[in-house]
Amino acid sequence: MKLSLNWLKRYIQVNLTADELSHKLTMAGIEVEKVSKENNDVVFDLEVTPNRPDCLNVIGFARELSAILDQKKQIPSFKPHKMPTKKYDIQVDDKKDCARYIGTLIENVHVKPAVDWMESLLKSIGVRTVNNLVDITNFCLMETGQPMHAFDADKISGNKIIVRRAKKGEKIVMIDGVERELDPSILVIADDKKPVAVAGIMGGKESEVTEKTHNVLLESAYFDPVLIRRAARKLGLSTDSSYRFERGVDFDMVESGANRAIDLILELAKGDITKKDEVKAVSKLKLSTSIVVSIEQINGYLNDKLSIHACKKILNNLDFEATLFGKNKIKITPPSFRGDIKQEVDIVEEIARIVGYDNLPSTTPLIKPSQILPDEKRQKRNAIRKALLSQGLNEIITYTMVNKRSLEKTRQESLSGISIINPLSQDQEILRPALLASHLNVLAANINHQQKDLTVFETGKIYIGGSEKEVLAVALSGKQNSDWRNHARKTVNYYDLKGVLVKTIQDVFGAEITVKHIKKNYFDETQSVAIFLKGQEIGEMGLLSDEVVNNFDIKNAKVLFAQLDLEKLLKEDWRHKKFVPVCEFPAIIRDVSLAIKTEINFADITQEAFLLGEGILKSIDFIEEYLGEKIQKGYRGIVFSCSYQSDKKTLTDDEITKLHQRIVASIIQKFSAIQR
Amino acid sequence: MINFAEIRKQIEIDLAAVNDKNSLEVFRIKYLGGKGVVKEVYSSLSSVAPGDKPSFGKEANALKNDLSAMIEQKTLEIKSLGSKSSDNQIDLTLPGVFQKVGRPHVLHQTIEEICASFEKLGFVVQEGPEIETEFNNFTALNIPAEHPSRDSFDTFYVQAEDTTNKGRNLLLRSQTSPGQIRVMQNNKPPLAVIIPGKVYRPDAVDASHSFMFHQIEGLLVDVDVKFSDLKGLLTVFCQKFFSEEIKMRFRPHYFPFTEPSAEVDISCYICKGKGCSVCGKKGWLEIMGCGMVHPKVFEHAGYPKGKYTGLAFGMGVERIAMLKYGINDIRLFYENDKRFLEQF
């Protein structure tokens, strides 16, 4: 909304500089976004909040300013004219759509170019001048906030106005020269044959006022705000008029505004009023009844010491009917243009903003401890994040919406996510059912920029069956951590990913995960597992298949990916921290080197060893795996060390040797292993 | 004839020239070696007059002991010098080798930092779901049934029925404020909570708009929370989070769920309020919305009428991170370029 200072000065004396005025308006809730000097005028670009349609006109600003500066304003009189008794035929189909419609026929007008003073004011705020009649309706719109339209009365067939919904497929060429197709969600002003205007938005080309016009029909109305908003959006057409109707015009101003326009028409274009009609749904648009508020309430809320008289003065300056009621109360009836004032707090805000928020006291609140406990899920999630960060993984945040096609690319066609009803683009079709596609997109973008060594994670939501679920995803690709002393850096593999997850879960929950081979469309056939924690499946990890990786245009790179169910994981208990005395007796370490069948799992061997370990076998460390020619076909070499220790005594070499041999012998026998 | 004084003079000269392990070894061999000076002294004992022998012996022993002490002392000196030409020599300027540490996403860092500020003041962090009901996202927040923000132009709706409101679909929360409603429905005052999370609005993506972004919501409810508390609380926060030196202003604004409502501006820290491109020549940066909780919101939360007052505030995390770190494009947060991620 643009405001001309010269125009404003017609109603109130302004002795402030443009900057001072800007500041005052901004601090009273009407933000000045820009001030520009045009010709001999100063123009303010203002942001008026949607609850204040009363400020979308110059008189509204004069009113605000009179309250801010506590100064008198001079509003032109909008007295009714002596009206003819002849009726113009106006019919409103549904008064819910149009609560008030006043049509006035003025004959024998002189349509001429714009009048100088009006032209310069309109030009300042960027309104194009057309002719004296159109200019008057525009001038009144900007002055009073009441949109009005002047029809060439001779172009209205049947001398009749019908306010009705458009018929399906009905068309109208509007003043901007564009033909638009209408439908029954759109309200039109029609004659007995066709629409002559789209209600509240723009008039029709055919009935517009031109220099050839002799007789005009002036329309002033109140249209339903929601109806106008939806129609404007549907037609993709926002006008000064629709902007005001959408926010709600002043019911009383429908008549006053018409009177103001008629005054100006008679003055500047001559003519005679010959016919008139008004259709009204109610005598007054129902606003809230009076509000009673005490000065203690106001001061209590604001923590201030305002006087009741100062408060009453502010409200009166804003054209509220405010009277003292008892000793300490004010009774207020808000004016017809303040539909936003409904209860006590609304009055408090009016007073607060006119006094100025900056002039009100500031205190540090006393915050009492609440019964709400810290969110443990969040704390555990943060512990997981910290564990992952400390292992060198970067955290990422990806869009939760994805393209449906991305699920084909990841071979997750069986998952569906949740569809978005009104996506802006294909990339927002669904709320993702998995994080894989999001992560591959991030890796692909990075690899395209020659950043190939990537270790990332995200804690985010997936969406399945109408609800959301929290998951953790980890993706690794490229080379391991760099160390120039060890130039030949290895490419990350399954064990890097497993290590990250094992370490993280150990760190936070103090528990071991186990894995079981699974097959998934998107994983490599052999290197993919389901992850279990205490017997419960909590996720999956593995090497992604080349097909899936290629689908994201990632070439010549292996990608490892894991997704864990955080809903389950975050319910686990924290790692139990309890002191255990450090063992004072020495540990004895014995290495074992075996050739075992390829399909034998190391986990089975350790399980067997611990079973026989008599509680003295404390730990087994895996040292090396050897897959080479020196081992017979179908076998692989493994080396691990067993650590024996007693809490009660120093073990003798003899004791250990016996136990160790028993364990190794049993393993060899059970798994057909060969000692190396 | 042995002249102890002359020997000692020569020792002094030789020792001064010793500057590393090698020259020290040469020195040692010259004096204490098998064919060294000390050996020579001792072997000349036989040619000393018998009466002089005791004093000669004494002097010879003293010389030997002194030399040992000198060598020991010099060894330490050389060690502490970090012997420039020893076998341990390495290029001390080569890069150190470190374990890589990952970086938390800058948005999460910002969220954590903001939450921590409020936690120190006694607030508790709470979270809420992203898929919400129309009631929690709009109705309970005093947003009327026909309000434009409920349109599909301004809110994403999802293909899932709202079981509490038959025939209506669930939506993606367009603000973190429904979190307030959930907290109030489940808890009685006094309460002070801070609610971070993702929110969604169908905005076309450009340098300053995103259809998904993050907000942080705060809520304080008690029997006597005042507008002055709102000003005080947010002033303390902004001064701690941005800088003690910033100026602040509270500007009246409109939100359906607060009354009175305000926008909080801080003086532009780049131009110090003089006006620059970051603040759009205004000298002020808009950083959050706030207000006193609207009585209708308490009503919808099921609190008894008139019993409580409260304050609420909300801020966009992306905007604050962009201001704080000078990031000029919101899309960078979601591209996750390694070179971007590792800057924070």
Side-chain angles (χ1 to χ4, degrees):
Chain A
M1 162 86 196
K2 284 188 169 172
L3 174 71
S4 139
L5 184 59
N6 286 348
W7 199 333
L8 183 67
K9 282 179 174 168
R10 291 167 69 94
Y11 318 107
I12 189 161
Q13 207 184 335
V14 183
N15 299 323
L16 303 170
T17 66
D19 281 347
E20 286 165 345
L21 185 59
S22 277
H23 180 73
K24 295 258 184 205
L25 286 171
T26 297
M27 296 312 285
I30 300 158
E31 194 189 355
V32 177
E33 298 199 306
K34 215 177 97 195
V35 181
S36 40
K37 296 209 161 62
E38 322 234 335
N39 302 326
N40 293 319
D41 203 352
V42 180
V43 176
F44 301 91
D45 264 315
L46 306 152
E47 193 209 326
V48 176
T49 53
N51 60 325
R52 296 297 307 277
D54 62 294
C55 280
L56 295 173
N57 58 76
V58 190
I59 288 175
F61 282 113
R63 184 187 304 121
E64 283 293 302
L65 211 54
S66 86
I68 296 166
L69 305 175
D70 188 15
Q71 209 176 289
K72 283 221 155 41
K73 54 187 178 284
Q74 300 100 34
I75 307 299
S77 72
F78 299 140
K79 293 225 172 63
H81 294 267
K82 209 175 144 226
M83 282 296 168
T85 47
K86 278 197 224 162
K87 279 194 92 171
Y88 194 91
D89 193 2
I90 288 165
Q91 174 193 328
V92 175
D93 275 5
D94 188 345
K95 287 179 188 160
K96 260 192 241 150
D97 291 349
C98 171
R100 194 172 192 186
Y101 195 105
I102 299 173
T104 312
L105 186 67
I106 304 164
E107 293 183 298
N108 303 317
V109 292
H110 298 269
V111 180
K112 290 184 290 195
V115 195
D116 282 351
W117 63 265
M118 195 181 279
E119 184 180 16
S120 79
L121 291 179
L122 287 171
K123 264 191 177 159
S124 277
I125 58 166
V127 175
R128 195 172 58 95
T129 51
V130 182
N131 55 48
N132 56 354
L133 266 150
V134 173
D135 293 350
I136 287 167
T137 58
N138 284 336
F139 177 84
C140 290
L141 163 75
M142 293 300 172
E143 184 188 54
T144 68
Q146 175 61 40
M148 274 172 275
H149 186 66
F151 294 99
D152 184 331
D154 297 325
K155 302 278 171 63
I156 291 174
S157 160
N159 288 325
K160 180 178 182 174
I161 285 290
I162 307 166
V163 183
R164 62 165 170 87
R165 295 296 184 100
K167 292 169 191 150
K168 195 170 187 317
E170 218 167 13
K171 286 178 184 160
I172 180 173
V173 178
M174 297 169 78
I175 285 174
D176 61 2
V178 179
E179 185 183 57
R180 290 184 176 84
E181 195 174 318
L182 310 172
D183 67 47
S185 71
I186 297 168
L187 189 70
V188 294
I189 313 301
D191 57 20
D192 65 355
K193 291 202 175 99
K194 58 186 185 310
V196 291
V198 175
I201 301 178
M202 193 185 272
K205 183 88 188 162
E206 202 189 317
S207 58
E208 80 176 319
V209 172
T210 65
E211 54 274 34
K212 288 174 193 147
T213 302
H214 296 295
N215 307 314
V216 295
L217 179 72
L218 182 78
E219 166 195 290
S220 184
Y222 182 98
F223 298 115
D224 178 51
V226 177
L227 200 62
I228 302 303
R229 169 163 56 84
R230 299 226 163 114
R233 211 138 198 196
K234 193 164 229 170
L235 296 171
L237 193 60
S238 177
T239 60
D240 284 331
S241 164
S242 69
Y243 188 74
R244 285 164 180 80
F245 279 122
E246 279 172 27
R247 285 160 177 74
V249 297
D250 174 6
F251 194 79
D252 291 355
M253 190 55 88
V254 175
E255 187 177 359
S256 312
N259 290 336
R260 172 68 168 155
I262 292 166
D263 263 351
L264 288 166
I265 292 171
L266 297 182
E267 182 194 333
L268 302 171
K270 310 297 175 208
D272 316 299
I273 310 171
T274 55
K275 287 180 183 176
K276 191 203 170 204
D277 194 17
E278 175 173 9
V279 175
K280 236 180 178 186
V282 285
S283 64
K284 268 197 177 301
L285 196 65
K286 197 172 173 279
L287 290 177
S288 63
T289 47
S290 53
I291 300 162
V292 176
V293 59
S294 74
I295 188 68
E296 287 80 15
Q297 246 175 312
I298 295 169
N299 280 329
Y301 217 68
L302 300 176
N303 205 2
D304 207 352
K305 295 184 181 103
L306 301 169
S307 81
I308 194 164
H309 296 285
C311 293
K312 179 179 171 293
K313 187 80 181 287
I314 286 170
L315 296 168
N316 287 143
N317 281 342
L318 288 168
D319 292 340
F320 287 48
E321 227 180 280
T323 48
L324 294 183
F325 182 68
K327 240 187 177 170
N328 60 343
K329 292 190 180 94
I330 315 177
K331 187 175 173 184
I332 301 131
T333 310
S336 61
F337 46 83
R338 290 303 301 271
D340 60 316
I341 304 294
K342 293 176 182 135
Q343 56 194 87
E344 292 92 324
V345 285
D346 300 323
I347 300 295
V348 173
E349 181 178 73
E350 289 306 296
I351 291 164
R353 70 180 184 86
I354 298 299
V355 169
Y357 288 179
D358 279 0
N359 299 321
L360 291 168
S362 170
T363 52
T364 315
L366 172 73
I367 297 169
K368 293 179 203 144
S370 78
Q371 359 130 313
I372 303 173
L373 296 171
D375 182 352
E376 208 170 86
K377 250 179 90 173
R378 177 183 158 79
Q379 292 173 332
K380 284 178 186 161
R381 186 199 309 123
N382 280 343
I384 290 175
R385 291 175 56 230
K386 223 180 246 174
L388 291 163
L389 292 166
S390 70
Q391 294 176 78
L393 283 83
N394 284 323
E395 184 177 40
I396 61 172
I397 299 177
T398 56
Y399 293 125
T400 54
M401 293 170 186
V402 295
N403 196 315
K404 255 185 197 159
R405 224 175 54 77
S406 70
L407 295 178
E408 289 164 28
K409 285 162 77 179
T410 56
R411 300 292 320 275
Q412 290 171 315
E413 303 91 339
S414 62
L415 303 177
S416 55
I418 300 177
S419 294
I420 300 286
I421 292 171
N422 52 328
L424 282 184
S425 78
Q426 282 200 330
D427 291 337
Q428 302 167 359
E429 275 176 317
I430 52 165
L431 285 165
R432 62 187 176 193
L435 254 54
L436 180 54
S438 311
H439 280 227
L440 282 172
N441 281 328
V442 169
L443 295 193
N446 273 292
I447 290 169
N448 273 340
H449 288 111
Q450 281 78 49
Q451 299 167 109
K452 294 177 178 162
D453 304 334
L454 302 159
T455 56
V456 299
F457 77 93
E458 177 174 18
T459 57
K461 298 266 175 79
I462 59 169
Y463 307 80
I464 290 172
S467 64
E468 56 195 78
K469 217 168 105 168
E470 215 186 329
V471 295
L472 162 70
V474 178
L476 310 179
S477 187
K479 304 268 192 220
Q480 289 173 340
N481 212 358
S482 73
D483 180 344
W484 55 262
R485 297 166 304 182
N486 203 352
H487 184 61
R489 289 164 61 204
K490 290 187 179 129
T491 302
V492 290
N493 68 17
Y494 170 82
Y495 300 111
D496 292 283
L497 179 58
K498 185 178 179 184
V500 163
L501 295 179
V502 167
K503 173 81 185 135
T504 301
I505 289 172
Q506 239 171 24
D507 217 49
V508 180
F509 303 104
E512 290 294 327
I513 56 169
T514 55
V515 298
K516 201 177 139 195
H517 180 226
I518 49 161
K519 287 191 181 178
K520 288 278 160 117
N521 286 340
Y522 39 91
F523 279 138
D524 175 85
E525 267 191 35
T526 52
Q527 298 188 23
S528 49
V529 294
I531 304 169
F532 294 84
L533 186 66
K534 298 176 189 163
Q536 181 183 221
E537 186 172 340
I538 55 157
E540 56 186 36
M541 67 173 157
L543 175 67
L544 292 176
S545 77
D546 288 341
E547 179 204 346
V548 165
V549 172
N550 285 339
N551 285 344
F552 287 81
D553 291 326
I554 299 173
K555 305 273 185 272
N556 307 319
K558 297 282 179 201
V559 178
L560 293 136
F561 182 77
Q563 184 178 298
L564 270 64
D565 184 338
L566 283 183
E567 301 292 333
K568 286 182 186 164
L569 198 52
L570 298 181
K571 285 197 187 99
E572 289 294 325
D573 291 333
W574 289 105
R575 174 160 63 91
H576 185 59
K577 293 178 190 169
K578 188 173 183 290
F579 172 68
V580 175
V582 177
C583 188
E584 53 184 302
F585 303 106
I588 296 175
I589 314 271
R590 289 289 156 85
D591 286 356
V592 183
S593 177
L594 298 174
I596 57 168
K597 283 186 184 151
T598 318
E599 67 268 20
I600 301 291
N601 283 332
F602 180 62
D604 299 333
I605 291 172
T606 55
Q607 197 188 357
E608 176 72 10
F610 282 119
L611 211 62
L612 299 169
E614 295 176 5
I616 289 169
L617 174 59
K618 293 286 180 199
S619 63
I620 297 179
D621 283 332
F622 190 77
I623 295 173
E624 191 185 12
E625 180 180 38
Y626 178 73
L627 305 158
E629 290 159 2
K630 288 178 190 161
I631 302 275
Q632 68 183 96
K633 221 175 166 203
Y635 281 73
R636 59 188 170 126
I638 56 166
V639 181
F640 57 92
S641 70
C642 301
S643 171
Y644 298 93
Q645 192 174 32
S646 163
D647 307 334
K648 297 184 189 75
K649 58 172 185 171
T650 301
L651 296 166
T652 65
D653 208 44
D654 211 31
E655 282 171 300
I656 294 308
T657 307
K658 274 184 192 151
L659 178 60
H660 184 68
Q661 277 170 358
R662 259 203 317 276
I663 291 171
V664 174
S666 169
I667 290 169
I668 288 172
Q669 200 212 341
K670 188 159 183 183
F671 300 103
S672 313
I674 301 161
Q675 190 140 25
R676 294 180 69 217
Chain B
M1 194 62 215
I2 300 293
N3 184 337
F4 281 104
E6 234 164 65
I7 290 173
R8 283 187 179 272
K9 211 172 166 187
Q10 188 58 43
I11 285 172
E12 213 169 289
I13 293 163
D14 288 348
L15 188 65
V18 168
N19 57 8
D20 60 18
K21 260 177 148 181
N22 294 337
S23 49
L24 180 64
E25 185 61 10
V26 170
F27 176 84
R28 191 189 65 80
I29 291 168
K30 177 173 177 185
Y31 290 98
L32 295 177
K35 292 173 184 167
V37 173
V38 171
K39 188 88 180 169
E40 201 181 305
V41 168
Y42 279 116
S43 52
S44 68
L45 183 65
S46 55
S47 60
V48 173
D52 292 341
K53 267 184 186 167
S55 65
F56 185 91
K58 222 177 186 176
E59 278 221 52
N61 284 343
L63 181 67
K64 190 184 170 190
N65 289 341
D66 285 351
L67 275 164
S68 295
M70 280 174 199
I71 288 167
E72 201 174 316
Q73 168 71 22
K74 205 70 187 177
T75 307
L76 287 177
E77 271 173 31
I78 288 166
K79 256 194 195 156
S80 72
L81 272 176
S83 64
K84 277 183 190 159
S85 54
S86 82
D87 297 342
N88 291 335
Q89 187 183 345
I90 58 169
D91 181 349
L92 301 168
T93 64
L94 282 178
V97 177
F98 51 88
Q99 288 299 312
K100 205 187 142 212
V101 174
R103 304 302 311 160
H105 195 282
V106 62
L107 289 176
H108 280 168
Q109 288 187 44
T110 309
I111 289 173
E112 293 302 319
E113 204 181 326
I114 294 168
C115 287
S117 303
F118 283 104
E119 281 180 293
K120 277 179 207 151
L121 296 168
F123 282 72
V124 179
V125 182
Q126 292 283 291
E127 291 171 355
E130 292 168 20
I131 298 179
E132 267 292 3
T133 60
E134 268 193 80
F135 180 82
N136 284 346
N137 197 66
F138 296 122
T139 312
L141 292 164
N142 194 35
I143 299 171
E146 295 297 346
H147 196 270
S149 65
R150 294 192 186 222
D151 279 0
S152 60
F153 293 102
D154 290 313
T155 300
F156 282 116
Y157 287 84
V158 300
Q159 202 63 262
E161 203 192 30
D162 180 352
T163 51
T164 60
N165 190 2
K166 286 276 175 222
R168 302 294 299 177
N169 284 303
L170 292 169
L171 50 80
L172 282 174
R173 65 176 173 198
S174 55
Q175 49 200 346
T176 39
S177 313
Q180 284 185 25
I181 302 300
R182 285 175 179 270
V183 168
M184 286 194 276
Q185 280 166 344
N186 296 315
N187 300 279
K188 272 196 193 137
L191 48 88
V193 292
I194 184 114
I195 309 162
K198 288 193 178 90
V199 299
Y200 301 85
R201 284 178 203 176
D203 280 334
V205 175
D206 62 26
S208 51
H209 293 88
S210 179
F211 58 89
M212 176 182 103
F213 55 101
H214 293 74
Q215 277 189 343
I216 294 181
E217 185 87 6
L219 176 72
L220 172 69
V221 184
D222 202 346
V223 285
D224 200 18
V225 179
K226 295 172 186 298
F227 187 75
S228 58
D229 293 331
L230 177 69
K231 286 183 68 179
L233 175 72
L234 297 180
T235 304
V236 169
F237 164 72
C238 288
Q239 288 179 343
K240 289 228 162 102
F241 188 82
F242 293 102
S243 138
E244 293 276 351
E245 278 153 35
I246 56 144
K247 277 186 265 168
M248 287 183 70
R249 68 177 192 188
F250 289 76
R251 215 162 18 82
H253 200 71
Y254 169 67
F255 304 109
F257 32 91
T258 49
E259 189 84 16
S261 305
E263 289 238 57
V264 182
D265 293 344
I266 57 167
S267 53
C268 180
Y269 57 88
I270 290 175
C271 61
K272 306 268 180 267
K274 288 188 200 96
C276 67
S277 65
V278 172
C279 58
K281 306 241 186 299
K282 287 182 193 169
W284 293 97
L285 296 167
E286 194 178 301
I287 51 150
M288 65 173 120
C290 65
M292 299 299 285
V293 179
H294 198 289
K296 287 267 184 215
V297 175
F298 286 141
E299 207 177 289
H300 286 298
Y303 285 174
K305 201 180 170 194
K307 183 160 181 192
Y308 300 112
T309 53
L311 61 85
F313 52 90
M315 58 194 112
V317 179
E318 278 80 354
R319 175 164 172 81
I320 291 193
M322 287 168 94
L323 289 175
K324 186 159 174 140
Y325 300 105
I327 298 165
N328 57 9
D329 192 325
I330 197 168
R331 289 168 291 202
L332 289 167
F333 293 116
Y334 301 105
E335 277 166 12
N336 297 296
D337 189 301
K338 192 178 175 184
R339 295 163 296 184
F340 174 79
L341 295 174
E342 293 186 349
Q343 285 181 35
F344 304 100

